[in-house]
Amino acid sequence: MSAAYATFGLAPATRAGGVLADGGYQVHRDFVDFVVDGRPLLFQLSDLDAVSPLASDIPPAIFTEQVRALLLEAEPPLPDGRFVLYGCPECEDLGCGAVTAVIERDGDDYVWRDFAWQTDEHADLERDGYPGIGPFRFRGPEYRAALTALGEGPPRRRVLLIGARVAVLARLAAALRTIGIGADITQDARAVPAEELRGYGAVAFGRAVGEAERAAVLRAFEQAGVEAAAVDGLAPIVPLLVAQIEHALDRGPLARRRLTGLAAAGHAVDVEVSAPCRVRITAYRLDRLHRTRTREVYDGVLEPGRHRVALDPRAVKGEAYLVARTTGGVLVTAVAAGHGGRARGAVTGGKRS
């Protein structure tokens, strides 16, 4: 079998969860993605909402079995030597569809070939194959080193919530737990033991938290040796705050994200994507009585590059914010009155690239 060598790597990835405008929700999943020739394999499969079997929320024993299978130290789960590379993020049922491929050894090399979309026990390559994807030949030492270095997988994500409005924090914590993100509420992080602080990937502050209190909390995290992202809540709107926290927990490099830019001013929003993907944009605003108003302002597939989308002035009247989502990420921005803004999740601290 002949195929040019491809580089193989692994990288943390996120399937962003969220509280949706229609009242539904999608589950947050942290997983390890496959990186082929420096680019996430998932990006090469069009706009696919899926996660790899190497997810943080599966038991360690099952995670280890998934790694062993990819190393061909366990039997393939499907006939004809086929392995699941990406599956449904909500239920992982093959009936929902999965990307599968044959994985085999050729001397010391590992080869991935015959990629297909599969919904039952057998794949139909002629009907459901991925033309132009693979075969990929990976050097054995590089391939094995990447997989054996995984340990028990990516860390589980938790967030610490601090603020004066207990009712808002309680609703936010419930929403986060619903989509699979652990959340705890405290009024004084300085009293939390260092070993507990190390379990948080982010700390979120309500708008009423003062600078001195905020600085003291961040100092407690620093003294505990924790690189937690700090999220400054934009407004007491639960879906908006969930989106900010989702953005903060995505620690993957910018080059490996689909949604890379979001800026809004006046009656237009600029969206930047690195790969073809479906983008949904939701506007949230507070009216004069501080009631939340929600409106879907865009839902469509965008090609790589920067795009400008017109906004209905009524959707962004007054204090307004936009949340843009793709299958793998989320960005948040405030709507500036008349000048350009930067895409932001109000995130500081931690390492971002």
Side-chain angles (χ1 to χ4, degrees):
M1 177 182 299
S2 62
Y5 279 109
T7 62
F8 179 83
L10 299 167
T14 298
R15 188 268 193 160
V19 179
L20 306 179
D22 61 4
Y25 66 90
Q26 61 184 33
V27 175
H28 173 97
R29 302 292 302 278
D30 289 310
F31 64 100
V32 176
D33 198 6
F34 308 110
V35 180
V36 178
D37 285 335
R39 188 165 180 253
L41 180 59
L42 191 57
F43 284 18
Q44 303 179 43
L45 300 170
S46 189
D47 186 36
L48 185 64
D49 185 13
V51 299
S52 82
L54 305 175
S56 67
D57 53 357
I58 62 176
I62 297 177
F63 187 94
T64 299
E65 282 302 304
Q66 298 288 1
V67 172
R68 291 185 65 243
L70 293 170
L71 289 167
L72 301 182
E73 296 174 358
E75 291 297 312
L78 298 171
D80 306 318
R82 302 192 71 82
F83 294 79
V84 173
L85 299 182
Y86 297 102
C88 173
E90 299 287 343
C91 67
E92 302 179 34
D93 190 323
L94 184 61
C96 293
V99 176
T100 68
V102 173
I103 300 179
E104 60 189 9
R105 290 285 297 271
D106 185 16
D108 196 39
D109 299 337
Y110 289 79
V111 177
W112 290 14
R113 63 175 176 85
D114 296 341
F115 289 77
W117 177 255
Q118 194 165 341
T119 55
D120 53 33
E121 194 173 48
H122 295 280
D124 186 334
L125 292 179
E126 185 173 337
R127 183 189 65 193
D128 299 320
Y130 280 96
I133 303 296
F136 300 118
R137 177 183 291 272
F138 306 116
R139 290 181 172 85
E142 177 186 62
Y143 183 89
R144 288 189 294 270
L147 287 167
T148 55
L150 281 176
E152 294 184 353
R156 297 174 184 269
R157 300 299 188 186
R158 297 182 64 81
V159 61
L160 187 63
L161 309 178
I162 300 175
R165 301 181 66 172
V166 177
V168 173
L169 294 180
R171 293 199 304 272
L172 175 57
L176 289 167
R177 292 167 188 153
T178 296
I179 66 173
I181 297 176
D184 299 304
I185 300 171
T186 185
Q187 296 301 314
D188 187 2
R190 293 167 293 184
V192 180
E195 59 269 20
E196 292 186 25
L197 289 179
R198 296 188 186 103
Y200 296 104
V203 54
F205 300 99
R207 294 202 290 191
V209 176
E211 283 300 319
E213 182 181 355
R214 184 183 184 280
V217 170
L218 295 180
R219 194 159 48 248
F221 273 91
E222 183 180 353
Q223 291 170 351
V226 182
E227 294 180 345
V231 180
D232 294 319
L234 290 172
I237 301 171
V238 169
L240 177 68
L241 296 171
V242 168
Q244 285 190 264
I245 290 168
E246 286 275 7
H247 174 68
L249 292 176
D250 185 356
R251 310 303 288 272
L254 188 63
R256 291 178 181 166
R257 301 181 195 177
R258 285 193 178 103
L259 184 59
T260 57
L262 182 71
H267 302 148
V269 55
D270 292 325
V271 186
E272 191 166 357
V273 297
S274 64
C277 58
R278 178 186 177 189
V279 177
R280 290 168 293 168
I281 304 176
T282 306
Y284 297 93
R285 70 180 184 89
L286 294 173
D287 65 16
R288 290 182 300 172
L289 300 178
H290 294 279
R291 294 172 299 191
T292 301
R293 303 297 184 182
T294 306
R295 185 167 174 180
E296 294 283 357
V297 296
Y298 181 79
D299 187 347
V301 176
L302 298 177
E303 294 299 317
R306 185 167 182 153
H307 307 267
R308 174 156 290 187
V309 177
L311 297 172
D312 185 336
R314 293 171 296 181
V316 292
K317 182 181 179 181
E319 182 183 353
Y321 307 90
L322 297 178
V323 174
R325 292 187 175 277
T326 64
T327 54
V330 59
L331 284 178
V332 179
T333 188
V335 180
H339 55 275
R342 289 186 61 192
R344 68 185 186 125
V347 177
T348 60
K351 292 183 178 178
R352 305 299 301 268
S353 54

